Amino acid sequence: MFILLPELFWLPVLTVISFFSGWVVAAWGYYAKYLFQGFDKVRLFSDILIYSNIFLVVAGMLARNVSAFAGMTFILMGLLVCFTFARWLVDKPSDSPETISLTINRFGLPFLLLCMFVFVITINSGIMYQVVYPAYVGFDLLISFYQVIPYIVAIWLLRLHATKIRQFHILYIGLALLGLAYAFFILLDRSLGSFLVVDTLMLAACGVNDLFWWGILGAMLNYASNPAQILGIGLSMNVLGVWCGGLLGTHIMATQKGHLVAAGIALVIIFIAMFIIPVLNKKLLHLLKEHVFLMRLAVMIEGEQDMMFDNLKIDKRLTDREMEIIQLLLKGYTYKVMAKQLFISENTLKTHIKNIYVKLEIHSRMELIQILEGELPKAEVGATRERPSL
C-alpha cells in the first residue's frame, strides 16, 4: 500500500490492518494452549521473542541500509511463511483432552493486576523510543542492529535456566537494571560508550520484564476457556503502555530539561511497579493453585467426592446448608449468584459463610481449598499432579 496508495490513505488503511492483525496475533493463544500443552510455556514464548526480534532487526537493517523495497520484500516473504504455518496449525488435529477452564471473570483481580503491571512497565518502553534513542544522535547504524542484542541475550539466558529461576525473583533484577539505565542516562554524556551502557542495561531489563509477563500469560492460557481473549488483552496492555509512554515522552521533550523529567518519571514508574509485584505474586499463585485443585477435584469419581465432603461435614459439624455453600464457594460463584441459587438474601449468605469459616478456623476461600487439598491425594484417580510455580 505504501507503493500503490497516495499518502492520504496510509493512516486509515494502517488502522484497519492493525485492528485485524491484533485479532490474528491474539488468536494464536488458542493454538498455544491446545497444540503446545506439553511445552514449557516460558521456553515457548522465549523462542517466540528471540526469533521474532531477529526477524525484526533484519527487516529494519534492510529497510535502512539497503532500500525500503528490500525491507518490504523480506517482510512479505516472512508473511508467506506465516501463512503456510497458519494453514498447518488450522489443519493439525488436537488430541489434547479438554480440561476445566476459567473464564475471564474468574481470573478476576490477579489478571487485572497483571494487566496493570504490563501497562505500567511498558510505559518505559515508549519513553525509551521517544526520549532515550533520539538523545544519541549519529548512532543510527549501531542502533539499527544493536538495539535487540541485549534483549535477545537476556531472554536466551533466562531460557537456559527457566526451570531453576522463580520469575518474580528475577523480575526485581529486571527493574533494577531498568533503574540503573535511566540513572546512567541522567549522569553520563551522549558518547558512544554511554549509549552502549544505557542501551545494554535498558534492553536487558526489557527482555527480563517481557519474558516475565509473557510467561505468566502462557501459564494462564493453560487454564483459560478463551485463551485468545487472555492473550489479546495482555498484548493490548503492552501496546497501550508503549503508546502512552511515547505520547508522554513526546510531550516531555517539548519542555525544558525534558531528558531529566523523562528519566525521573521512568524511575517513579519503576518504583510503582515494585509495589505491584508482591501483591501480583500472591494473587497469581492463589489463582493457579486454586485451578489445579479444581482440576483434580473434577476427575475424582462422584462417590469419592461425596465421601470427602461427608468426612468434612462430620469432622467439622457442618449443616447441610453449609455444605451446599461450600460446594458453591468452590465453583467460584459470586455472593449474588450464590444467594439467588439458594433462595436466600446476601446478608443471610454472608452469615452462613462466616459460621463456616469459624468452624473451619479459616478466613478465606483459599484456606478452604487448602483444607480440602489435603484430602485429595487419598481419593485421586488419574488426576494431574501439576503444580504452579512462579
Side-chain angles (χ1 to χ4, degrees), residues 34 60 99 116 135 150-151 160 180 185-186 189 199 246 250 254 269 314 360:
Y34 290 105
T99 59
M116 183 189 304
Y151 183 87
L160 291 179
L180 283 173
F185 179 68
I186 296 173
D189 56 18
D199 198 50
T250 302
I269 291 172
I314 295 171
L360 298 179

Side-chain angles (χ1 to χ4, degrees), residues 276-330:
I276 299 176
I277 292 173
V279 181
L280 180 61
N281 181 26
K282 181 179 178 181
K283 296 296 182 182
L284 283 173
L285 275 174
H286 282 184
L287 175 72
L288 300 182
K289 282 182 178 179
E290 175 186 335
H291 182 70
V292 170
F293 164 78
L294 293 176
M295 287 176 63
R296 297 170 67 199
L297 180 65
V299 299
M300 291 175 64
I301 298 172
E302 187 174 346
E304 292 175 335
Q305 284 191 24
D306 294 338
M307 184 183 302
M308 184 183 70
F309 286 123
D310 286 343
N311 289 338
L312 180 69
K313 178 182 177 181
I314 295 171
D315 291 344
K316 302 299 181 180
R317 298 182 181 179
L318 298 168
T319 66
D320 290 339
R321 173 64 85 184
E322 288 170 343
M323 289 307 303
E324 282 184 273
I325 292 172
I326 284 176
Q327 293 186 50
L328 292 176
L329 280 171
L330 293 175

Side-chain angles (χ1 to χ4, degrees), residues 34-173:
Y34 290 105
L35 297 184
F36 297 91
Q37 282 196 339
F39 287 69
D40 182 331
K41 288 299 191 294
V42 173
R43 295 194 176 209
L44 176 65
F45 281 107
S46 65
D47 288 343
I48 293 169
L49 291 172
I50 289 172
Y51 293 119
S52 61
N53 274 276
I54 291 174
F55 182 88
L56 176 66
V57 74
V58 172
M61 289 183 67
L62 286 172
R64 288 184 183 186
N65 304 316
V66 180
S67 69
F69 182 78
M72 284 189 286
T73 301
F74 181 76
I75 290 172
L76 289 172
M77 290 173 60
L79 287 174
L80 182 61
V81 173
C82 289
F83 178 80
T84 305
F85 182 62
R87 289 292 304 167
W88 175 79
L89 283 177
V90 171
D91 295 337
K92 181 177 172 60
S94 172
D95 55 2
S96 301
E98 285 289 333
T99 59
I100 300 172
S101 297
L102 301 178
T103 63
I104 189 71
N105 292 331
R106 287 287 303 279
F107 278 114
L109 181 60
F111 186 65
L112 179 63
L113 283 172
L114 178 63
C115 289
M116 183 189 304
F117 176 82
V118 172
F119 170 73
V120 168
I121 204 65
T122 50
I123 289 176
N124 278 321
S125 297
I127 293 176
M128 175 180 70
Y129 288 120
Q130 297 299 323
V131 177
V132 177
Y133 282 152
Y136 294 95
V137 181
F139 304 131
D140 291 346
L141 179 60
L142 180 62
I143 290 174
S144 67
F145 73 88
Y146 184 74
Q147 62 176 340
V148 297
I149 292 178
Y151 183 87
I152 291 174
V153 170
I155 292 175
W156 178 72
L157 289 174
L158 290 178
R159 184 192 185 284
L160 291 179
H161 305 284
T163 58
K164 303 176 183 178
I165 301 174
R166 289 190 175 272
Q167 290 169 279
F168 278 93
H169 293 171
I170 199 67
L171 186 58
Y172 283 109
I173 298 176

Side-chain angles (χ1 to χ4, degrees), residues 352-366:
H352 280 304
I353 292 175
K354 182 179 179 180
N355 292 336
I356 292 171
Y357 286 174
V358 169
K359 289 181 180 180
L360 298 179
E361 298 180 355
I362 59 176
H363 301 91
S364 67
R365 187 164 66 98
M366 192 61 211

